[in-house]
């Protein structure tokens, strides 16, 4: 298969002229594109290391990368509520119900971190009302009575907001429906519920109102959250960039003989220094990486071992998810494993080019899969190509076979092809991307170079 662009892996950092480097580095980041020369990427890499790893502090500089990031403004949440209310009104629906989680966070600033789920439901209800001919969102928070004071401390934006409590000897779902009694409830005016809502709550609402139709929210509602705003993309971009910078900073301090657990601790330290919360990481050396989620035997790094780090966390509730498979300067990697690395990178690049507005999600997965199958790895790319990312690390839509979702502007996904040969090697490369207003895919890590540069420069 012929490529529109070609990666020349023979270019070394030493033979780049100073004039060429300076001219390239001063160009606008928006002009960076896939398959820039590895020489430029290597130079960027070393400049970043000078900034992020120095004797004055193990992770010096990481904290500044996202220091200007801001949480989603309350005015944006009000706009989301207004958009939802308009959809509910146009669809003839009486209300939308969510419990603490990603959707309640999106529409009401109520996350699982601020209100943990239990058997006692707390519900966010958004219903459309007409005021002077305009559709506005009415917000109702249904809370256990003994938790009402705490519920009122939640920073829930809303023009028209009320709190309704239910006592321990009351049915919370009857109380919830009674709170909507001013609305026309019935089979012709359904109540939409969030697709991730626990079944016992859906069942409770249905039993409390036998004549009420309770149904999962349609695509018009779910697409509000899957199509990211500029503010959301800014948080996703910064979180994913700094996660890559953390991996590069950790690589600079690794050595042959270090153990997986030591690197895991280093990654967590780096992410914490960068301001990332809800941190997680997977560190696998050599053949351990042939199991995509690891074997966990705390392997010591050998000279012939590639290193796989899959890491992420949240920045103001928005997720990062990055995987790099790389080597050290002292490594001696089998040539066939280096070949696999470049084949996986090519699969990632081809999928990135195929992911455009209007494309089918399964078709993007197929592009990467067909390339790897054609290179002789059939059966060794064992998982989907990618998942949506935002307020959840894994959310709809998904890049996998068997789906028929159509990619839209504002969608954000992971792109993570991998080859896993048990007992030998595992290689995965993952960068998240979004679809811009022109309908093209843009890596969220583009501002720091985009994809991994080579096995030596992640």
């Amino acid at each position: 298969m012929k490529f529109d662009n070609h990666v020349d892996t023979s270019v070394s950092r030493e033979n780049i002229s100073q004039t060429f480097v300076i001219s390239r580095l001063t160009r606008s980041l928006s002009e960076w594109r896939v398959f820039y020369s590895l020489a430029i990427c290597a130079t960027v890499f070393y400049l970043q290391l000078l900034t992020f790893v120095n004797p004055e502090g193990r992770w010096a500089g990481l904290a500044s990368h996202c220091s200007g990031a801001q949480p989603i403004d309350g005015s944006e949440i009000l706009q989301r509520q207004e958009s939802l209310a308009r959809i509910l009104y146009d669809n003839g629906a009486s209300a939308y119900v969510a419990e603490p989680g990603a959707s309640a966070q999106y529409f009401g600033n109520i996350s699982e971190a601020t209100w943990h789920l239990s058997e006692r439901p707390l519900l966010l209800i958004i219903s459309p009302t007409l005021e002077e001919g305009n559709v506005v969102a009415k917000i109702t928070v249904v809370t256990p009575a003994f938790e009402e004071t705490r519920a009122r401390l939640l920073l829930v934006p809303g023009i028209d907001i009320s709190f309704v409590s239910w006592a321990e000897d009351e049915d919370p779902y009857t109380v919830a429906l009674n709170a909507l009694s001013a609305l026309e409830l019935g089979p012709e005016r359904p109540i939409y519920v969030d697709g991730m809502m626990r079944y016992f709550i859906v069942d409770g609402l249905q039993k409390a109102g036998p004549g009420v139709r309770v149904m999962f929210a349609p695509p018009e509602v779910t697409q509000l959250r899957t199509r990211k705003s500029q503010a959301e993309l800014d948080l996703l971009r910064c979180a994913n960039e700094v996660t890559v910078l953390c991996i590069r900073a950790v690589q600079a301090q690794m050595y042959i003989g270090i153990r997986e657990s030591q690197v895991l601790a280093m990654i967590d330290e780096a992410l914490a220094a960068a301001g990332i919360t809800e941190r997680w990481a997977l560190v696998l050396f050599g053949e351990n990486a042939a199991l995509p989620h690891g074997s966990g035997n705390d392997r010591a790094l050998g000279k012939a071992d590639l290193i796989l780090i899959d890491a992420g966390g949240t920045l103001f509730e928005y997720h990062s998810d990055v995987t790099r498979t790389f080597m050290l300067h002292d490594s001696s990697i089998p040539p066939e494993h280096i070949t696999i690395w470049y084949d996986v990178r090519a699969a990632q690049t081809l999928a990135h080019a195929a992911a455009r507005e209007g494309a089918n999600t399964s078709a993007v997965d197929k592009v990467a899969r067909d390339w790897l199958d054609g290179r002789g790895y059939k059966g060794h790319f064992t998982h989907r190509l990618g998942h949506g990312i935002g307020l959840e690390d894994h959310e709809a839509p998904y890049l996998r076979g068997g789906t028929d979702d159509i990619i839209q502007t504002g969608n954000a996904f992971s792109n993570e092809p991998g080859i896993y040969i048990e007992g030998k090697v595992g290689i995965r490369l993952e960068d998240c991307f979004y679809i811009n207003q022109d309908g093209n895919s843009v890596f969220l890590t583009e501002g720091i170079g985009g994809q991994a540069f080579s096995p030596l420069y992640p």
Side-chain angles (χ1 to χ4, degrees), residues 146-176:
F146 78 99
E147 296 271 42
E148 182 176 352
T149 300
R150 186 165 72 93
R152 288 180 177 275
L153 295 175
L154 295 170
L155 301 177
V156 182
I159 302 299
D160 181 3
I161 181 169
S162 61
F163 289 81
V164 177
S165 64
W166 56 275
E168 289 281 80
D169 58 353
E170 290 184 293
D171 176 51
Y173 313 107
T174 299
V175 172

Side-chain angles (χ1 to χ4, degrees), residues 321-360:
D321 194 354
V322 173
T323 305
R324 289 291 186 266
T325 304
F326 58 92
M327 59 189 284
L328 304 183
H329 282 280
D330 295 337
S331 300
S332 180
I333 307 300
E336 59 269 28
H337 294 177
I338 298 297
T339 298
I340 297 172
W341 192 98
Y342 279 104
D343 284 336
V344 170
R345 188 184 191 277
Q348 187 188 46
T349 301
L350 290 167
H352 187 65
R356 297 176 53 84
E357 180 186 15
N360 190 290

Side-chain angles (χ1 to χ4, degrees), residues 8 38 42 47 54 58 71 173 198 201 216 238 240 255 275 290 299 313 342 387 423 431 435:
D8 182 4
L38 291 178
L47 289 174
N54 62 61
R58 196 175 194 187
Y173 313 107
R198 293 173 294 175
I201 297 177
F216 288 112
C238 202
N240 280 271
Y255 53 86
R299 182 186 180 103
Y342 279 104
H387 53 78
D431 289 86
I435 305 299

Side-chain angles (χ1 to χ4, degrees), residues 367-397:
V367 167
R369 204 166 301 278
D370 284 351
W371 162 255
L372 292 173
D373 286 353
R375 294 291 293 167
Y377 308 115
K378 189 174 181 63
H380 293 293
F381 179 17
T382 54
H383 54 73
R384 66 193 173 208
L385 176 67
H387 53 78
I389 191 167
L391 284 168
E392 296 175 282
D393 187 21
H394 291 187
E395 63 181 36

Side-chain angles (χ1 to χ4, degrees), residues 83-408:
S83 297
L84 174 58
R86 170 56 66 179
I87 292 172
L88 295 173
Y89 182 82
D90 291 344
N91 284 18
S94 58
Y96 170 84
V97 186
E99 59 176 331
S103 292
Q105 169 76 16
Y106 185 83
F107 291 114
N109 198 37
I110 306 175
S111 68
E112 283 190 60
T114 56
W115 193 281
H116 294 291
L117 299 181
S118 75
E119 75 280 7
R120 297 181 177 97
L122 178 133
L123 302 176
L124 172 71
I125 303 177
I126 300 175
S127 50
T129 60
L130 275 178
E131 292 186 6
E132 299 180 353
N134 297 317
V135 178
V136 297
K138 175 178 174 54
I139 311 301
T140 304
V141 178
V142 179
T143 172
F146 78 99
E147 296 271 42
E148 182 176 352
T149 300
R150 186 165 72 93
R152 288 180 177 275
L153 295 175
L154 295 170
L155 301 177
V156 182
I159 302 299
D160 181 3
I161 181 169
S162 61
F163 289 81
V164 177
S165 64
W166 56 275
E168 289 281 80
D169 58 353
E170 290 184 293
D171 176 51
Y173 313 107
T174 299
V175 172
L177 294 184
N178 287 341
L180 300 175
S181 59
L183 300 174
E184 183 183 340
L185 299 177
E188 300 304 317
R189 289 184 54 83
I191 292 176
Y192 292 158
V193 296
D194 177 50
M196 296 301 289
M197 182 172 284
R198 293 173 294 175
Y199 178 75
F200 76 85
I201 297 177
V202 179
D203 186 56
L205 288 169
Q206 189 68 72
K207 289 178 178 177
V212 177
R213 185 157 58 107
V214 180
M215 59 186 294
F216 288 112
E220 299 98 305
V221 172
T222 59
Q223 286 173 8
L224 290 176
R225 189 157 73 84
T226 60
R227 301 183 71 177
K228 273 58 179 181
S229 69
Q230 187 59 54
E232 291 179 290
L233 291 173
D234 288 344
L235 289 173
L236 287 169
R237 182 182 296 110
C238 202
N240 280 271
E241 285 179 351
V242 83
T243 300
V244 172
L245 297 177
C246 287
I247 293 174
R248 293 175 183 170
V250 167
Q251 182 206 26
Q253 300 182 55
M254 291 178 62
Y255 53 86
I256 302 301
I258 195 171
R259 291 196 171 275
E260 291 169 338
S261 60
Q262 293 175 275
V263 176
L264 186 64
M266 291 165 66
I267 283 288
D268 186 69
E269 288 177 10
L271 290 170
I276 297 298
T277 58
E278 299 180 48
R279 300 177 299 277
W280 58 270
L282 181 68
V283 177
L284 302 168
F285 297 162
E287 65 185 48
N288 284 356
L291 300 178
H293 287 163
S295 60
N297 65 1
D298 201 18
R299 182 186 180 103
L301 182 64
K303 290 182 70 68
D305 290 342
L306 284 169
I307 302 144
L308 186 152
I309 297 180
D310 187 350
T314 61
L315 179 66
F316 295 119
E317 306 292 341
Y318 284 83
H319 284 262
S320 66
D321 194 354
V322 173
T323 305
R324 289 291 186 266
T325 304
F326 58 92
M327 59 189 284
L328 304 183
H329 282 280
D330 295 337
S331 300
S332 180
I333 307 300
E336 59 269 28
H337 294 177
I338 298 297
T339 298
I340 297 172
W341 192 98
Y342 279 104
D343 284 336
V344 170
R345 188 184 191 277
Q348 187 188 46
T349 301
L350 290 167
H352 187 65
R356 297 176 53 84
E357 180 186 15
N360 190 290
T361 48
S362 62
V364 179
D365 176 279
K366 188 174 186 299
V367 167
R369 204 166 301 278
D370 284 351
W371 162 255
L372 292 173
D373 286 353
R375 294 291 293 167
Y377 308 115
K378 189 174 181 63
H380 293 293
F381 179 17
T382 54
H383 54 73
R384 66 193 173 208
L385 176 67
H387 53 78
I389 191 167
L391 284 168
E392 296 175 282
D393 187 21
H394 291 187
E395 63 181 36
Y398 294 88
L399 300 176
R400 65 173 181 84
T403 60
D404 57 2
D405 293 315
I406 301 301
I407 294 176
Q408 298 178 303

